[in-house]
Amino acid sequence: MTVSADIAPDLATEPTAPWWRQAAVYQIYPRSFADSNGDGLGDIPGITAKADYLAELGIDAVWLSPFYPSELADGGYDVADYRNVDPRLGTLADFDDMLAALHARGIKIVVDIVPNHTSDQHEWFQAALAAGRGSAERERYIFREGSGPDGAEPPTDWLSIFGGSAWERVEDGQWYLHNFAREQPDLNWDHPDVHADFLETLRFWSDRGVDGFRIDVAHMLTKDLTEPLPSRDELALIPKDGNHPLIDRDDVHEIYAEWREVFNSYDPPRTAVAEAWVDPARIHLYARPESLGQAFNFDLLESSFDAQQFRAIITENLARAAQSGSSSTWVLSNHDVVRHATRYGIPQQSADAAGEVRHGGEWLLSGGSEDQLDREKGLHRATAATLFLFGLPGSTYLYQGEELGLHEVADIPADERQDPTFFRTNGEEIGRDGCRVPLPWTADGGSFGFGDGGAHLPQPQWFADYAVDREDADADSTLNLYRKALALRHTLQTQEQLEWIETGRDDVLHFARPNGWQIVTNFGTEPFPLPDGDIVLASRSVSDGRLPGEATVWLAPR
Ligand code: GLC
């Protein structure tokens, strides 16, 4: 029996379908990619120097996490100046050189826009502090008087997403709202200056030739802060249906309609993808062509390596894409989560101290032990999942280092950690540093070829086994598997359709694409007899026509 899913066939079959609909987008976390000047921080010239590496990998676009001036209270997501490059990372001229080098190799560039909050070092926030209560300068942020007899208590008991209070008191006694770290004051999107400034930022980077934008925390910009403000408990009871005071309000799309005019004033139109952690039933609102045009689907980040979970997620997301007219997005790793090779190498049913069952990522983030990690199993599953995803219609977002099969670094000492989550929860949440450790380029040499000045997060000895030079020379390495898969992937991308083929096994998924290729993934451990076809790619070697456990194969018609 076959079940067919048709996705926007008219758009998808057009020979001029926009590039982003089925792109493989590689995320660079610039401070941990490659360091050209030996200061321990990755930089823009470091990326330019690796342009050939990126071209050889076969990706269609690069997404750069923030490289703007920042005090690094949140790894650069605390932006002090939206239209500049952090001097430690280079200059605007370096940015232009990098853009030219990537464009010359056919690679598009997406940059990160952080509109929910600025850094507390941003000139607007500094002016707001200096100008004092009641000033026009404070109107660009969310300042309130405190509660309690002398206003010494925060206005509400709301918690920041990184832990601790969501309010911080300033010298003259007022409080400001920060949904993230205290160095990240939330902007007031009711203020016309805020609208105008972000339009200018979008034009600034578009004029420089940037192809698209990744929109940080896209679901939290607009807020209804009508007094009296609800308590934390009251807030938790308010449905997130478009009218919640803080999250996923319908009126946020008025902002994106303004941005859409800017995007569409360029040829080709600039693209955008929303980072929106919202009710899955509302994600399509962000992906509409009149809003941001595409939205991340994070469902796989929270899923185990399980055939039925994967199938349900794929089916649901293809339907969501059809609903918005956008294409699906697939994500297994990014700079905010435990690397997928590690998530899949931790026993799937780990229980925490309270006996709660958690998936591998949650387990490690909340202090689970690296001793439980089976590196080889994790990597087999990770490459199987990746090849499964590369076979799907839609666009895939990859995170730097996953092409090396890199694992999470779980044992970073407390005094070398950087993530504000770690500090704001007193170490209860270990945070996201483990996936942000600088990449190993060479098996030997200081900081594994990252740069001459050490690495800003400690690299473990086992990084040598995953170094680019070692994997480059090994025909069977994860890197060479990614290269082959990304090159072959273009062959698959004629139409955005897939057809499920029933396998008679709960732990095996099988689908066909319109070009006649078939993709089979064995999520279990029992070998699976392969259907007819020529093997074009396999994550583990196939013998006697049987697909081993925890592996994916791509088959072409004979
Ligand atoms: C997004 C980013 C994350 C950052 C947060 C605050 O979730 O992906 O890294 O900490 O926004 O900007």
Side-chain angles (χ1 to χ4, degrees), residues 190-213:
D190 287 335
H191 199 297
D193 285 1
V194 176
H195 286 251
D197 198 67
F198 276 90
L199 293 174
E200 195 178 331
T201 295
L202 295 173
R203 284 194 204 97
F204 178 87
W205 293 108
S206 298
D207 288 344
R208 291 197 107 81
V210 157
D211 303 279
F213 301 94

Side-chain angles (χ1 to χ4, degrees), residues 7-15:
I7 307 102
D10 47 335
L11 277 172
T13 49
E14 246 179 70

Side-chain angles (χ1 to χ4, degrees), residues 124-144:
W124 278 1
F125 194 73
Q126 289 298 315
L129 290 183
R133 52 158 47 81
S135 62
E137 286 82 350
R138 286 207 176 172
E139 289 297 307
R140 296 185 185 124
Y141 294 91
I142 300 166
F143 278 87
R144 292 285 183 278

Side-chain angles (χ1 to χ4, degrees), residues 21-247:
R21 291 193 66 91
Q22 302 213 60
V25 184
Y26 179 86
Q27 181 189 359
I28 291 185
Y29 191 75
R31 291 176 175 86
S32 299
F33 188 67
D35 173 18
S36 73
N37 62 358
D39 66 355
L41 276 187
D43 47 38
I44 301 284
I47 299 171
T48 313
K50 302 295 183 195
D52 285 336
Y53 173 79
L54 295 168
E56 214 182 320
L57 185 55
I59 47 159
D60 302 299
V62 155
W63 146 34
L64 296 175
S65 277
F67 49 82
Y68 316 108
S70 168
E71 65 186 312
L72 301 186
D74 181 24
Y77 283 89
D78 45 325
V79 180
D81 177 357
Y82 290 85
R83 299 188 282 275
N84 217 331
V85 174
D86 186 329
R88 288 167 294 182
L89 269 65
T91 61
L92 281 169
D94 291 332
F95 182 90
D96 294 341
D97 289 347
M98 175 201 63
L99 188 132
L102 295 189
H103 278 176
R105 290 163 178 79
I107 300 171
K108 306 266 197 282
I109 297 182
V110 171
V111 299
D112 223 307
I113 297 292
V114 188
N116 179 67
H117 42 264
T118 69
S119 156
D120 62 353
Q121 302 302 309
H122 190 281
E123 61 172 352
W124 278 1
F125 194 73
Q126 289 298 315
L129 290 183
R133 52 158 47 81
S135 62
E137 286 82 350
R138 286 207 176 172
E139 289 297 307
R140 296 185 185 124
Y141 294 91
I142 300 166
F143 278 87
R144 292 285 183 278
E145 297 304 333
S147 59
D150 53 359
E153 296 299 318
T156 65
D157 60 353
W158 300 350
L159 293 180
S160 123
I161 290 165
F162 289 160
S165 171
W167 298 93
E168 182 75 14
R169 199 171 199 195
V170 301
E171 243 175 49
D172 60 26
Q174 271 204 313
W175 296 76
Y176 68 85
L177 180 70
H178 59 89
N179 271 296
F180 294 88
R182 111 175 105 73
E183 297 87 350
Q184 293 168 298
D186 278 46
L187 282 162
N188 170 17
W189 273 92
D190 287 335
H191 199 297
D193 285 1
V194 176
H195 286 251
D197 198 67
F198 276 90
L199 293 174
E200 195 178 331
T201 295
L202 295 173
R203 284 194 204 97
F204 178 87
W205 293 108
S206 298
D207 288 344
R208 291 197 107 81
V210 157
D211 303 279
F213 301 94
R214 178 260 187 195
I215 312 304
D216 189 67
V217 201
H219 57 301
M220 289 185 64
L221 278 47
T222 54
K223 289 155 186 122
D224 176 6
L225 299 175
T226 315
E227 307 275 349
L229 296 174
S231 69
R232 191 201 314 168
D233 288 346
E234 287 164 349
L235 207 53
L237 295 175
I238 305 178
K240 298 196 181 95
D241 61 358
N243 289 304
H244 187 277
L246 297 181
I247 292 166

